[in-house]
Amino acid sequence: MGYTYLSDLRQPGVTGGRAGRSIEGRSAPGNMLSLTHVHGWEYGTNFVNLDLRRYGSQIPAGKSSYPGPAATFDYGQTTLFLTCRGTLSGNSLVGAPLFVLPGLIKDVSLAYGVDHQSDNTRLSLLRTRTMGGLSFTFDVPVGFFNLAVLAQKDWFRFADLLPPLRQTGTDIVPRIEATYLMPLTFTGLPLSLTGFASYNPPRGDDPKGGRLKAEVLTRTSLVLDLGDLLYQKPNRMKAFIGVLHQKNLLGANSRIVPGAQFTSFLAGLSFSVF
């Protein structure tokens, strides 16, 4: 479980404050609680993460216009992010190192996943994303680097739109995800560089008009293992700082939609309960 502070969050279409109606949108700090489960088994891996993010009041919570009138509240929105990923190792499934390319690839796995997002704004957005494809585990000297090439499809529900636009699906498009961890042993500290990045191209029409744009998300963190440093029990307590960057949030065009892009400093603590 973990806590993360984010210094500069945005939401597409939210303007005001010092930023006025500029393309930068309105900035708000955020606080996020996370629950994460990871494990490996005989044939692969499983990863589940639940983030509950609360924005500052600069990005307000609200109520959609159906039923009844729309409303905006004087406290910040809350957004739930659920991420599930799984792999089935090719080498384990065939019982032999068939998918090994010495010095380059350690394994090729079947990869699959589901993302879900919901919030309590005037849009009352629900977004569900499914994906499946291949994950390549690279043969790196230390740490790990994985690259997944997937097919992705999204379903949206905007509560402020009337049917049939309220619920809509997108085109199936390619998706690329990278995850990595690099121990920084040269520092003499239990310090590592970790990160995640994803990209998907434009995936169809935006129910609010125009076309959905390519989405980019990156998160990079320096992680200090405090458990190892302070009482020789690694992976029990960690502190981290990093940067989160998102472009074309929810497919909104960051060139014309205020708040559709941001870069935020982040910092936090995580604890392994089990």
Side-chain angles (χ1 to χ4, degrees):
M1 59 187 300
Y3 163 78
T4 305
Y5 169 77
L6 300 116
S7 65
D8 186 1
L9 296 173
R10 316 286 169 114
Q11 279 290 297
V14 179
T15 60
R18 294 181 180 179
R21 297 195 60 82
S22 76
I23 197 65
E24 299 297 327
R26 191 169 191 184
S27 172
N31 297 280
M32 186 165 71
L33 297 177
S34 303
L35 294 175
T36 306
H37 171 77
V38 183
H39 79 269
W41 60 298
E42 182 180 0
Y43 292 106
T45 61
N46 288 305
F47 170 85
V48 180
N49 185 79
L50 181 67
D51 289 335
L52 191 65
R53 183 187 297 177
R54 180 68 177 266
Y55 294 70
S57 59
Q58 299 91 336
I59 299 178
K63 173 184 173 298
S64 72
S65 53
Y66 302 103
T72 299
F73 305 128
D74 59 359
Y75 52 86
Q77 81 170 64
T78 300
T79 301
L80 177 95
F81 300 94
L82 175 66
T83 302
C84 302
R85 296 288 185 274
T87 64
L88 292 173
S89 163
N91 291 331
S92 296
L93 289 174
V94 300
L98 182 63
F99 298 97
V100 174
L101 193 59
L104 184 61
I105 301 293
K106 293 171 62 176
D107 199 359
V108 179
S109 303
L110 296 174
Y112 48 90
V114 175
D115 292 344
H116 179 75
Q117 174 182 346
S118 63
D119 63 41
N120 63 342
T121 66
R122 293 178 65 174
L123 301 181
S124 295
L125 170 69
L126 292 176
R127 180 181 70 171
T128 301
R129 168 177 291 165
T130 60
M131 62 199 73
L134 296 176
S135 177
F136 299 86
T137 302
F138 285 81
D139 190 359
V140 294
V142 292
F144 65 82
F145 179 78
N146 296 335
L147 183 69
V149 181
L150 309 161
Q152 165 191 312
K153 183 173 176 61
D154 291 1
W155 289 267
F156 287 94
R157 190 211 69 180
F158 293 96
D160 63 329
L161 296 179
L162 290 172
L165 296 178
R166 179 179 294 186
Q167 294 183 333
T168 184
T170 66
D171 298 339
I172 298 175
V173 297
R175 177 180 178 85
I176 298 174
E177 289 188 350
T179 54
Y180 56 89
L181 181 148
M182 181 188 302
L184 303 178
T185 54
F186 64 87
T187 64
L189 296 170
L191 189 67
S192 60
L193 181 70
T194 69
F196 170 85
S198 68
Y199 169 82
N200 63 260
R203 59 197 192 286
D205 293 329
D206 187 338
K208 292 181 173 293
R211 299 279 289 177
L212 295 167
K213 299 299 180 182
E215 289 180 274
V216 176
L217 183 153
T218 64
R219 174 172 172 164
T220 302
S221 300
L222 276 172
V223 181
L224 179 63
D225 192 330
L226 292 175
D228 191 9
L229 180 67
L230 299 178
Y231 47 92
Q232 292 73 54
K233 290 188 177 181
N235 300 316
R236 292 296 184 91
M237 179 172 65
K238 297 179 180 181
F240 55 88
I241 60 171
V243 176
L244 173 67
H245 173 74
Q246 288 191 255
K247 181 177 180 180
N248 298 334
L249 277 77
L250 302 175
N253 188 343
S254 60
R255 293 185 177 182
I256 60 175
V257 178
Q261 176 174 306
F262 72 86
T263 300
S264 175
F265 167 79
L266 60 89
L269 292 169
S270 65
F271 305 88
S272 291
V273 180
F274 303 107

